[in-house]
Amino acid sequence: MATKPPAEGKEHKVRDGEWVGSIALSYGFADWETDVWKHAKNAKLRDSREDPHVLSPGDVLFIPPWE
């Protein structure tokens, strides 16, 4: 079962082996690329990590609230 992010969104600290899609799915997002990866608050992370499948432990991914 997915964990609903809070109304203000949530900063998720990446753990080893995680990627954007796996994280987004755990929060209930099916369209991880549009809803999470391309969110404006993830621009800095996108600039430093070209491939959303390759994140480093300790990276911070913003998880927006459900709409």
Side-chain angles (χ1 to χ4, degrees):
M1 179 172 214
T3 301
K4 183 178 180 180
E8 65 277 1
K10 174 184 174 67
E11 289 188 345
H12 176 92
K13 192 171 184 178
V14 176
R15 294 182 298 268
D16 191 38
E18 291 184 316
W19 68 284
V20 176
S22 68
I23 298 166
L25 185 60
S26 73
Y27 287 99
F29 290 95
D31 188 356
W32 62 267
E33 187 172 14
T34 301
D35 296 335
V36 179
W37 184 239
K38 291 184 177 177
H39 192 281
K41 289 190 176 182
N42 287 319
K44 187 175 178 180
L45 182 59
R46 280 195 314 275
D47 289 344
S48 66
R49 306 280 182 240
E50 290 182 19
D51 187 345
H53 297 93
V54 182
L55 300 176
S56 293
D59 283 346
V60 176
L61 179 69
F62 178 76
I63 306 299
W66 290 348
E67 292 187 17

